Amino acid sequence: MIRSVVKGCGGYLPARIVTNEELAKKVDTSDEWIQQRTGIKQRHIAAEGEFTSHLAIKASERALEHAGIDATDLDLIVLATATPDETFPATATRVQAALGMRNGAAFDVQAVCAGFIYALSVADSLLKSGTASKALVVGAETFSRILDWHDRSTCVLFGDGAGAMVLAAEEGTGASADRGVLANALHSDGRHHDILYVDGGPSSTRTTGFLRMEGREVFKHAVVNMAAVVGEVLDKTGLTSKDIDWLVPHQANKRIIDGTGRKLGLAADRIVLTVDKHANTSAASIPLALDTAVKDGRIKRDDLLLLEGIGGGLAWGASLVRW
Ligand code: UT7
């Protein structure tokens, strides 16, 4: 049986850090409110002229270096973003050119905050089917460009960044049959469009638009859907929550993450939390959290990771990965 085995990961955050206190000087908010309601203390914001592709390229270079794989050996890039450099072509093709990858295909997927789970699932399928042999999966965003900086209910929640993972198709035999991507579960429900969307786009308004969110409504769906989808992905493998070494969730709100952890019966020190430093970086949040815990030595080879996320669409999903 062919498995998509993880070879390495990387992350990149723009240099500029914006604290809650700095935001409180611009909109009617406070460090106390933001920390209490979300767990966020700061976020990174891309510089003028620093695009989603630039963040993605840096994260990808680090992931390839960590994996010890040359870009010329890649034959697939799947990049998750809701903030592409341009309407077309895919931001993934910018990354492809910059890395010097010549073979195979590079394309974007769009599932907002669930984007990394979707991209990982697509890459996993293409690796398992033999369509590709070495894949780079990227989540990269510059949400600062689609925020209404006068809307305190959204502008304090997001940040910019990118994370990447390198996967290789390997014939799993013996112990290695149990490594890599073990299962994925994807869902969407377009009836909930209006609770989280961007009020612009090339076909509707010919503008980029701004993010609009009914936070409380999204919160309710997040709690329910995350509990269901993590159960679903575990059921697919016959594993239980007791087998999980690390929950690596989408980083939107510490309260949502804590709720999922409680439902799984996981101790707080088994949950990778980066929302305090990165805020919500949409498709980049899961690979950034993953990279943080791999590089600081918490996540080790053979650990079982549960990745999950939900966002606009609504779209949500989960993946089980043996590191
Ligand atoms: O990544 C995509 C998925 N997104 C999510 O998962 C986000 C899910 N939602 C959330 O994380 C939370 O709903 C929020 C953090 C967005 C909001 O927290 P909440 O506890 O649901 O607050 P709320 O929206 O119910 O607002 C409570 C109060 C309101 O005032 P009133 O009406 O009670 O007087 C808001 O106007 O907080 C007020 N408020 C703020 N106050 C200070 C809203 N934003 C702010 C702010 N600073 N930035």
Side-chain angles (χ1 to χ4, degrees):
M1 185 188 180
I2 293 176
R3 281 262 190 240
S4 308
V5 175
V6 184
K7 293 291 168 186
C9 60
Y12 180 78
L13 291 155
R16 183 162 170 244
I17 292 172
V18 175
T19 61
N20 293 345
E21 285 85 358
E22 196 177 334
L23 282 183
K25 289 182 191 139
K26 292 180 187 154
V27 286
D28 181 15
T29 191
S30 65
D31 176 47
E32 190 192 3
W33 189 94
I34 300 170
Q35 283 208 47
Q36 267 182 10
R37 301 288 175 132
T38 70
I40 297 165
K41 294 180 183 161
Q42 60 170 55
R43 70 285 295 139
H44 291 248
I45 301 291
E48 198 65 41
E50 191 173 33
F51 303 157
T52 293
S53 65
H54 301 139
L55 310 184
I57 290 160
K58 290 197 167 110
S60 299
E61 286 169 347
R62 289 176 180 179
L64 287 166
E65 195 186 333
H66 185 231
I69 285 175
D70 202 278
T72 52
D73 291 330
L74 291 173
D75 51 11
L76 179 67
I77 298 177
V78 187
L79 185 146
T81 189
T83 47
D85 289 13
E86 297 155 329
T87 301
F88 80 81
T91 298
T93 59
R94 287 278 196 197
V95 178
Q96 177 187 28
L99 295 179
M101 167 192 159
R102 297 276 176 274
N103 303 314
F107 60 92
D108 291 357
V109 298
Q110 221 284 41
V112 206
C113 299
F116 190 77
I117 302 291
Y118 272 63
L120 181 61
S121 182
V122 168
D124 180 40
S125 298
L126 293 172
L127 289 169
K128 281 188 178 137
S129 70
T131 307
S133 64
K134 286 193 176 62
L136 180 69
V137 182
V138 191
E141 304 277 18
T142 45
F143 259 50
S144 61
R145 307 269 151 75
I146 55 164
L147 294 175
D148 175 350
W149 287 99
H150 302 290
D151 176 10
R152 69 174 184 175
S153 72
T154 54
C155 75
V156 303
L157 304 174
F158 296 89
D160 301 333
M165 188 194 264
V166 179
L167 297 156
E170 287 182 4
E171 196 72 51
T173 49
S176 66
D178 192 34
R179 289 187 62 226
V181 181
L182 305 184
N184 304 294
L186 303 180
H187 292 278
S188 61
D189 188 343
R191 292 175 299 172
H192 303 300
H193 169 277
D194 292 356
I195 63 172
L196 179 49
Y197 68 105
V198 169
D199 63 1
S203 178
S204 54
T205 61
R206 302 188 201 185
T207 63
T208 308
F210 294 109
L211 182 149
R212 304 295 176 202
M213 178 165 75
E214 289 177 34
R216 211 176 303 187
E217 285 305 308
V218 177
F219 192 101
K220 286 186 214 157
H221 286 280
V223 171
V224 173
N225 291 334
M226 286 306 95
V229 81
V230 297
E232 181 186 346
V233 82
L234 281 167
D235 286 348
K236 284 187 179 197
T237 57
L239 294 163
T240 72
S241 57
K242 292 196 174 56
D243 298 309
I244 298 167
D245 293 300
W246 296 102
L247 175 65
V248 189
H250 169 51
Q251 310 280 326
N253 188 317
K254 185 177 182 300
R255 290 185 292 144
I256 298 174
I257 295 170
D258 288 346
T260 308
R262 269 196 304 275
K263 288 223 164 75
L264 287 166
L266 281 182
D269 64 359
R270 297 279 108 191
I271 301 172
V272 181
L273 205 71
T274 48
V275 70
D276 55 336
K277 295 201 175 65
H278 303 168
N280 182 347
T281 57
S282 184
S285 89
I286 294 172
L288 271 170
L290 188 66
D291 183 59
T292 302
V294 168
K295 301 293 162 66
D296 69 20
R298 274 179 288 171
I299 293 178
K300 297 192 173 64
R301 193 184 155 126
D302 290 326
D303 280 354
L304 184 68
L305 319 182
L306 177 57
L307 320 182
E308 46 88 344
I310 182 167
L314 293 174
W316 66 100
S319 298
L320 263 181
V321 177
R322 177 87 60 195
W323 196 253

